[in-house]
Amino acid sequence: MRSATLALPALALALALAGCGGNAEGERKAMPPQTVSVARVEMREMAGSLRASGRLLAREEAAVALDVGGFRVRSVLVEEGAQVSAGQILAELDPSLLLPQIAQLRATLAQQSVAAEQARDQAARVAGLENEGVLSGEAIANRRFSARSTQAALAATRAQLQEAETRLARLKVRATVGGLVLERSVRPGDTPSPGTNLFRIARDGSIELYAELPEAAAAGMSIGDPADVRLPSGKVVTGNVRLIGARVDGQSGLVSVRIALPRDRELRQGGFAEARFTRAASVLAVPEAAVQYDADGASVRVIDKDRRIKRVTVRTGQHANGYVELREGPPAGAQVAVKGGAFTLEGDVVAIEGGKAR
């Protein structure tokens, strides 16, 4: 009897607890679905955000070398950074050793000219006298030989004088091309040897950015594509892709790309710069807010025809204007949750804000 009395309160407590659990389950089932805004995966024009760095180098570099040796540099007329024109005098060598030689050759040439003229006249006087008995055949032959000999000596001296005058002209070191002087490696008083490079000039002052890109990125480029180049000063200049390398480096796997830049005083040979390629491309994209990031990586919440949530892993690309490129993920046309998607779980039924995707 006592045990039956104790069992009644326990039974009542169990029934009460069961009733409470049923109410909680009912309340959970009665909760409305999460409301989310949606967007479709679709093709969009997005400006590329590929970046590459490199060195600023002359598009075409010309060396100015010395043709003659043994002469001291008398003066240097330009400095690094100067703009020069083709044929402009850059430096002068001391001609004091060469001028006396030229004067002596000119005097010798004058003497030989007189001698050659006299020999020519004497040879002309005996023309047709071979069988007249006036002069022996030997005398006539000597006069003709003397005329030819003096003419030969005259020609040799004239050639020596021409060579000396050419050397004199080359004592004025001239720019081989017009452009920007990149380097001056000569000083007054130096005695450089033949073949020594005295100056380096960037033809037309053209400086380019030599950048290197992965092979896959270079494959998507075309000649003329725009690029914004940031200089060390922070200044940004706009250039265009002029040349894409024909080979891939065997060690780095990179392709060289040359970006033509407008003339600017801040472009310095050997300087460092960074390029951002801004060519627009059509890519699959979704709003940035649609992409969720967690320990498993990036994903989106795809909404199926029954309005159920399915988590799909994605691989993202470039970002622009509030959108992100999907390089891997759901196909074009798929609906993804944007606002409110973070509060949903796999398999949840959701309510779509506005009733349809944007």
Side-chain angles (χ1 to χ4, degrees):
M1 183 70 181
R2 182 186 175 118
S3 61
T5 303
L6 294 175
L8 289 175
L11 178 61
L13 178 61
L15 291 174
L17 291 174
C20 291
N23 291 339
E25 181 68 20
E27 289 178 4
R28 187 179 69 80
K29 290 183 178 179
M31 288 180 63
Q34 173 69 40
T35 300
V36 298
S37 64
V38 299
R40 291 192 182 277
V41 179
E42 58 187 0
M43 301 297 291
R44 282 186 172 272
E45 290 288 324
M46 296 183 68
S49 59
L50 179 64
R51 297 177 184 272
S53 58
R55 293 289 178 184
L56 297 169
L57 301 173
R59 175 174 178 176
E60 183 178 348
E61 189 175 301
V64 180
L66 191 63
D67 295 327
V68 294
F71 297 92
R72 182 176 55 85
V73 176
R74 184 170 66 182
S75 61
V76 179
L77 306 179
V78 297
E79 296 290 344
E80 292 182 5
Q83 288 286 344
V84 298
S85 56
Q88 180 177 334
I89 299 175
L90 308 180
E92 294 180 330
L93 305 182
D94 189 352
S96 58
L97 296 177
L98 189 57
L99 291 177
Q101 299 178 25
I102 293 176
Q104 182 177 1
L105 287 171
R106 286 173 178 169
T108 301
L109 184 64
Q111 290 176 346
Q112 291 177 339
S113 296
V114 173
E117 183 178 359
Q118 182 181 14
R120 187 172 58 251
D121 290 343
Q122 290 177 353
R125 291 193 190 101
V126 299
L129 299 180
E130 289 85 350
N131 300 317
E132 297 296 329
V134 177
L135 289 174
S136 64
E138 183 179 358
I140 293 174
N142 287 337
R143 289 192 180 188
R144 291 175 177 172
F145 175 79
S146 178
R148 291 196 301 271
S149 177
T150 54
Q151 285 294 330
L154 181 63
T157 303
R158 187 178 288 118
Q160 292 176 5
L161 178 60
Q162 183 179 2
E163 188 270 339
E165 290 176 339
T166 299
R167 294 177 67 195
L168 178 64
R170 291 183 178 178
L171 295 185
K172 296 181 183 297
V173 181
R174 299 179 182 273
T176 53
V177 298
L180 177 69
V181 177
L182 301 174
E183 181 181 357
R184 187 202 83 172
S185 55
V186 62
R187 300 170 299 175
D190 289 350
T191 308
S193 57
T196 301
N197 289 334
L198 306 183
F199 300 90
R200 291 191 300 116
I201 300 175
R203 183 190 289 272
D204 299 326
S206 298
I207 301 294
E208 296 183 328
L209 176 62
Y210 281 50
E212 290 185 322
L213 296 173
E215 181 182 2
M221 285 190 167
S222 300
I223 302 298
D225 282 355
D228 292 332
V229 176
R230 181 176 295 276
L231 305 179
S233 64
K235 183 176 181 178
V236 176
V237 295
T238 300
N240 298 91
V241 175
R242 184 184 70 84
L243 183 66
I244 301 173
R247 68 180 185 88
V248 180
D249 186 271
Q251 295 183 342
S252 65
L254 301 177
V255 177
S256 63
V257 176
R258 301 184 186 183
I259 303 170
L261 300 173
R263 290 188 181 183
D264 193 290
R265 294 182 62 87
E266 293 190 24
L267 296 177
R268 295 181 174 85
Q269 163 86 356
F272 179 85
E274 182 184 55
R276 177 178 179 270
F277 297 92
T278 56
R279 180 189 181 194
S282 186
V283 297
L284 283 176
V286 295
E288 290 180 330
V291 181
Q292 307 293 327
Y293 298 90
D294 54 29
D296 296 325
S299 63
V300 294
R301 268 58 174 173
V302 176
I303 303 173
D304 64 16
K305 62 181 180 180
D306 297 323
R307 296 191 176 184
R308 289 189 178 277
I309 291 292
K310 180 181 179 182
R311 181 183 182 276
V312 177
T313 301
V314 297
R315 186 166 69 91
T316 61
Q318 55 191 338
H319 296 246
N321 301 323
Y323 285 82
V324 58
E325 175 190 3
L326 294 185
R327 294 182 177 175
E328 292 180 6
Q335 289 188 113
V336 296
V338 184
K339 293 181 180 178
F343 303 104
T344 62
L345 298 174
E346 182 86 12
D348 282 356
V349 176
V350 296
I352 297 177
E353 184 179 271
K356 59 180 181 179
R358 290 181 293 175

PDB file of all heavy atoms in Angstrom, residues 1 30 103 134 201 291 295:
ATOM      1  N   MET A   1       0.834  -1.194   0.000  1.00  0.00           N
ATOM      2  CA  MET A   1       0.000   0.000   0.000  1.00  0.00           C
ATOM      3  C   MET A   1       0.860   1.231   0.000  1.00  0.00           C
ATOM      4  O   MET A   1       0.624   2.196  -0.725  1.00  0.00           O
ATOM      5  CB  MET A   1      -0.949  -0.050   1.225  1.00  0.00           C
ATOM      6  CG  MET A   1      -1.907   1.100   1.278  1.00  0.00           C
ATOM      7  SD  MET A   1      -3.141   0.969  -0.027  1.00  0.00           S
ATOM      8  CE  MET A   1      -4.096   2.437   0.271  1.00  0.00           C
ATOM      9  N   ALA A  30       6.841  25.144 -35.097  1.00  0.00           N
ATOM     10  CA  ALA A  30       6.016  26.292 -35.471  1.00  0.00           C
ATOM     11  C   ALA A  30       6.849  27.506 -35.854  1.00  0.00           C
ATOM     12  O   ALA A  30       6.305  28.483 -36.341  1.00  0.00           O
ATOM     13  CB  ALA A  30       5.070  26.641 -34.322  1.00  0.00           C
ATOM     14  N   ALA A 103      99.336  68.495 -89.621  1.00  0.00           N
ATOM     15  CA  ALA A 103     100.036  69.594 -90.281  1.00  0.00           C
ATOM     16  C   ALA A 103     101.205  69.079 -91.117  1.00  0.00           C
ATOM     17  O   ALA A 103     101.446  69.540 -92.248  1.00  0.00           O
ATOM     18  CB  ALA A 103     100.531  70.579 -89.225  1.00  0.00           C
ATOM     19  N   VAL A 134     115.644  61.446-130.146  1.00  0.00           N
ATOM     20  CA  VAL A 134     115.924  62.612-129.301  1.00  0.00           C
ATOM     21  C   VAL A 134     116.381  62.143-127.923  1.00  0.00           C
ATOM     22  O   VAL A 134     117.346  62.678-127.362  1.00  0.00           O
ATOM     23  CB  VAL A 134     114.670  63.488-129.179  1.00  0.00           C
ATOM     24  CG1 VAL A 134     114.929  64.664-128.241  1.00  0.00           C
ATOM     25  CG2 VAL A 134     114.222  63.967-130.544  1.00  0.00           C
ATOM     26  N   ILE A 201      72.708  55.218 -73.479  1.00  0.00           N
ATOM     27  CA  ILE A 201      71.570  56.092 -73.794  1.00  0.00           C
ATOM     28  C   ILE A 201      70.336  55.232 -74.031  1.00  0.00           C
ATOM     29  O   ILE A 201      70.389  54.229 -74.748  1.00  0.00           O
ATOM     30  CB  ILE A 201      71.856  56.944 -75.043  1.00  0.00           C
ATOM     31  CG1 ILE A 201      73.081  57.831 -74.806  1.00  0.00           C
ATOM     32  CG2 ILE A 201      70.649  57.789 -75.415  1.00  0.00           C
ATOM     33  CD1 ILE A 201      73.502  58.628 -76.039  1.00  0.00           C
ATOM     34  N   VAL A 291      29.346  34.795 -50.116  1.00  0.00           N
ATOM     35  CA  VAL A 291      30.415  33.836 -49.844  1.00  0.00           C
ATOM     36  C   VAL A 291      30.689  33.801 -48.346  1.00  0.00           C
ATOM     37  O   VAL A 291      30.944  34.847 -47.726  1.00  0.00           O
ATOM     38  CB  VAL A 291      31.685  34.191 -50.624  1.00  0.00           C
ATOM     39  CG1 VAL A 291      32.780  33.165 -50.357  1.00  0.00           C
ATOM     40  CG2 VAL A 291      31.387  34.261 -52.117  1.00  0.00           C
ATOM     41  N   ALA A 295      36.361  27.165 -41.381  1.00  0.00           N
ATOM     42  CA  ALA A 295      37.560  26.320 -41.323  1.00  0.00           C
ATOM     43  C   ALA A 295      37.697  25.421 -42.535  1.00  0.00           C
ATOM     44  O   ALA A 295      38.797  24.976 -42.867  1.00  0.00           O
ATOM     45  CB  ALA A 295      37.521  25.470 -40.035  1.00  0.00           C
TER      46      ALA A 295
END
